[in-house]
Structure formats: C-alpha cells, structure tokens
Amino acid sequence: MTGISGRLRGRSYGGRFRALPPVIRLLVLTQLAFNVGFYMVLPYLAGHLVDDLALAGGLVGLVLGLRTFSQQGLFVVGGTLADRIGAKPVILLGCALRVAGFVLLGSAGSLAGVIAGALLTGFAAALFSPAVESSLAREAGEGQQCGGPTRAEVFAMFAVSGQVGAVTGPLLGTLLLLVDFQLACLVAAGAFVLIGLAHLRLLPNRPAPHRDEPMLAGWSEVVRNRTFLAFAAGYSGYLLCYNQLYLALPAELRRATGGQEALGWLFALASVMVIVGQLPTTAWARRRLSAGAALVLGFGLMSAAFLLVAGATALIPAAGPAAPTGAVTLLPAVGLVVLLTAGQMLAGPIAQDLVPQLAGERRLGAYFGVLSSAGGLAVLLGSTGVGALLDPAVAAPVTPWLVLAVVPAASALVIGRLARRGSFAAPA
C-alpha cells in the first residue's frame, strides 16, 4: 500500500482521521455533528408521543414513519438539487429547516403540530444528507485513484464518526429530559444553528456537476438503470430494520421490564460496537468476502436479531409477577441490538461503496437519493404496520417480530440473486 491508504493501516481512528485530506475530513466530521444534534431528540420521541401526548401505537408508528419517509423518502429531491445547484447551498438550507422543525416539534401539543415538526426535521435531512454522501463518494473516489484510502474505508470512518455522535447525543438528551422534552428540542435546534454556521464558513463551494442539464435528467437516468433499482429495492429493508431501534426496541423494553430506563445505554452499546468494530469489520469483509456475500451475511444477522426476540417473546413471560427479574429480562433486547448492529456494520459501507459503481460514477446525488428514498418508503409502510402490530390488543406479541424477520431475509434473497448474476463485479 502507498500514499494515504498505506499511512492509514494500523492507525487508531483518530490517526486515520487526521491523515485524511481536508475536505474528506470535514465531511466525515459533519456526520458526527449532525448526529449529536439529531440523537438528542429522536430516541425519546416515541416515549414523548406515548407518555406526554397519549397517542396510540398505530399513530406513533405513523408519526415515526412519516418523519423517516420525509427524510429518506425525499432524499431523491436533495440528491437531485445537489447535482443541479451544488452541495453547499443544499446543506445550508437543510440545517435551517431542521432548526425550524425541532422548535416546532418541541412546542407542539397536538398530533397535527407533531406531524408538521416531524416532516420538517425529516425533509431537512433529505436535503443535506445526500449532498454530504455524494460529495464524500466523489472526493473519496478521486482520492482512491491517487493512492488514498478506499471508498469503503472512508464510508466506514463516516459510519464511525456518526456513531460517536449517536452515542453522545442520547446521553445529552437523557440529561436534558430531566427538565423536559421541549428543552431537548431547543438545544438540538441550537446545535444545528452552529452546524450551519460552520458549513457556511468552512465548506468549499464546488460547482454543481450537472448544473447545465435539466432538473429531471438524473431521475430518468436512474429509472433506466434496472440493476440499480433492483439493488435499491433489496437494500430498502436495511432502513426499516434500523428504524426498529426507535420503534420496536422501546416496545420490547416496556414488555420485558415495564419501562424504558435501559434505552439510553442500549443505544450506547450499539454506538460503541460501531466505534470499536466498524473499521476492522469493513476491512475483514473486503478481505474475506465478496460484496454480495457481505451484504447477504449482514441481512442474515438482522433477520436473526428479530427471530431472537420472537423466540424470547414466545417463551419468556412479560413484566409481571411471573416474569424473570434482573439482567435476564434485558437479554433479548441486548441480543437484538448486538445482532442488528453487527448486520448493519457488515452491510452499510459495502452498499455505499457499490452505489457509485452501479451508477457508473455519474449523478451520485440522484443515485444516493433514490437509494434512501426506497428505504424511506419501506419505513413509511413498514413502521405503520409494525407500530399497529406491537399493540397487544391488535396482535399476539410474537407476531411483529416474525414479520420483521421476514424483511431482511427477503432483502438477502434479492441481493444474493443480483450477486449471482455478476451485478457487483468491479469494472475492468
């Protein structure tokens, strides 16, 4: 190995981060800052909706699904705008909308206000996230050709940086919630004010790669790429699985222990796993597995996570006089977090590395946008249904977990079929 890639080998995350080119370093750090502000609020939103606003399970699932769909489902809009007008203005607009969304979410006392705040916070990320991801893919791809770290390694560092923010954000949120949910929302809004100001000053204003082309030209190109559309459909289950940390995990904790006191440290467990294990996991997967095999294994672990809780739900009584006590009540939730996170660590960076390859290194904003929009649609449909199934009055406790286990299993089948057709083979 030569160049930056060689210098990264064997270093700690901090050493690898400092060795990155300045623009890539800024984009990686962006993910940390975004997640600190975001995770002050999101892990506790379902609890706020149930405990403070007394919403039913189906409505909670609908709100969370709408928030995710307005984010992931509309990534295609943010990606297209990033291709057309450039990343910097799109990122700055996204920061401004997220500030407004958090203020509204914290002050809303009705379902309509909550939905409006959730939609604003989601659409904000639909603007800045694909702009950041496509910029990172482009910068890392150019750097890789000059002897820099591989694009998968850079996206692994991006994931680690995000998880540092994801573990810090909930801890700050827990402290702020000792006062109330509104304070947590206001502090998160303040964090995005600072993020926007930092990007206004530091982010390079690079020319838009497709500024002279029609706005919808990127969409038509993506729609004609049938291999990518099949990949996006298969990969859409990833986001639905990830979303269950906010919907199904709190429900499992309430079922098993009667409360959500362990939610904060379970999020911390997931984040620590990524911080410590993401770079070695990605390196191992690239060395030992093909891209298709890594994705299939990752989705298989996610399916196993839900099957584990399904088995525990069927065999172990819920919170009550006959239920087990102590740490054993948390074992299914811990197993869910560990297996789900391990599957995501395998699948995430490998999939993000495949997107530019399947796109032919063109219109990366639109391609990353469509990938996330497919996941957002899966969350909108899936979370509403799962939220309803998690209500004991609607279905048996084991039912939602069995339904969830089918989703990543189906994703593994789709992606495995694409791999067998040679769709992930690197171009000569």
Side-chain angles (χ1 to χ4, degrees):
M1 297 290 291
T2 61
I4 295 174
S5 184
R7 295 199 300 273
L8 289 176
R9 290 286 179 179
R11 287 194 175 192
S12 65
Y13 175 81
R16 297 182 184 201
F17 175 79
R18 288 189 295 272
L20 291 173
V23 175
I24 294 180
R25 193 160 59 234
L26 173 66
L27 292 169
V28 169
L29 188 61
T30 293
Q31 186 70 352
L32 185 153
F34 282 167
N35 279 1
V36 169
F38 183 62
Y39 283 98
M40 287 183 196
V41 174
L42 187 63
Y44 307 101
L45 179 57
H48 169 66
L49 298 179
V50 171
D51 299 333
D52 299 335
L53 300 185
L55 297 183
L59 287 176
V60 173
L62 176 63
V63 170
L64 294 180
L66 286 171
R67 189 214 65 79
T68 304
F69 179 73
S70 67
Q71 175 177 325
Q72 306 294 143
L74 297 178
F75 261 40
V76 65
V77 176
T80 300
L81 288 174
D83 286 342
R84 186 67 173 76
I85 67 175
K88 184 169 183 174
V90 175
I91 290 172
L92 294 177
L93 178 59
C95 288
L97 289 181
R98 179 149 281 185
V99 170
F102 274 139
V103 171
L104 181 56
L105 198 59
S107 60
S110 66
L111 177 61
V114 167
I115 289 177
L119 290 174
L120 270 179
T121 58
F123 183 58
L127 293 176
F128 59 64
S129 290
V132 170
E133 290 179 359
S134 60
S135 296
L136 186 64
R138 186 171 291 108
E139 297 285 346
E142 293 175 359
Q144 180 176 339
Q145 295 176 0
C146 299
T150 67
R151 191 154 40 196
E153 288 171 333
V154 171
F155 272 111
M157 297 184 71
F158 188 72
V160 172
S161 184
Q163 287 302 322
V164 172
V167 71
T168 305
L171 296 177
L172 292 175
T174 298
L175 294 176
L176 294 169
L177 284 170
L178 294 175
V179 180
D180 61 16
F181 183 76
Q182 184 178 27
L183 178 62
C185 288
L186 291 176
V187 173
F192 276 90
V193 170
L194 297 177
I195 292 167
L197 291 174
H199 282 76
L200 178 64
R201 179 177 176 82
L202 300 174
L203 187 66
N205 195 14
R206 302 197 185 281
H210 300 282
R211 60 186 179 278
D212 298 325
E213 300 176 15
M215 182 68 74
L216 300 182
W219 294 15
S220 61
E221 182 174 319
V222 174
V223 168
R224 291 195 300 270
N225 190 334
R226 294 186 178 181
T227 298
F228 175 79
L229 291 180
F231 173 74
Y235 191 69
S236 65
Y238 177 98
L239 189 61
L240 178 58
C241 293
Y242 180 78
N243 199 60
Q244 300 318 306
L245 292 175
Y246 313 116
L247 179 60
L249 176 60
E252 165 59 17
L253 289 176
R254 288 194 297 270
R255 183 201 71 83
T257 69
Q260 298 184 62
E261 290 79 7
L263 186 60
W265 74 261
L266 284 173
F267 273 96
L269 170 63
S271 296
V272 169
M273 283 183 64
V274 176
I275 292 167
V276 174
Q278 181 66 78
L279 294 175
T281 299
T282 302
W284 174 83
R286 285 181 58 83
R287 188 171 61 250
R288 298 293 183 88
L289 302 174
S290 65
L295 289 170
V296 169
L297 178 58
F299 277 107
L301 289 173
M302 295 180 216
S303 184
F306 297 126
L307 288 175
L308 173 66
V309 182
T313 301
L315 298 175
I316 302 175
T325 59
V328 68
T329 60
L330 290 174
L331 289 180
V334 172
L336 170 69
V337 170
V338 169
L339 288 173
L340 198 60
T341 303
Q344 291 163 355
M345 288 164 60
L346 270 172
I350 300 297
Q352 288 171 309
D353 183 36
L354 282 173
V355 172
Q357 178 182 315
L358 294 173
E361 305 293 339
R362 287 173 46 80
R363 302 190 183 278
L364 298 186
Y367 274 92
F368 274 103
V370 169
L371 183 73
S372 294
S373 293
L377 181 60
V379 171
L380 177 61
L381 299 176
S383 288
T384 302
V386 170
L389 291 175
L390 286 168
D391 186 344
V394 174
V398 71
T399 302
W401 300 103
L402 292 175
V403 171
L404 285 169
V406 171
V407 173
S411 294
L413 288 174
V414 172
I415 290 173
R417 183 176 181 181
L418 287 173
R420 288 192 297 272
R421 287 168 45 188
S423 300
F424 304 147

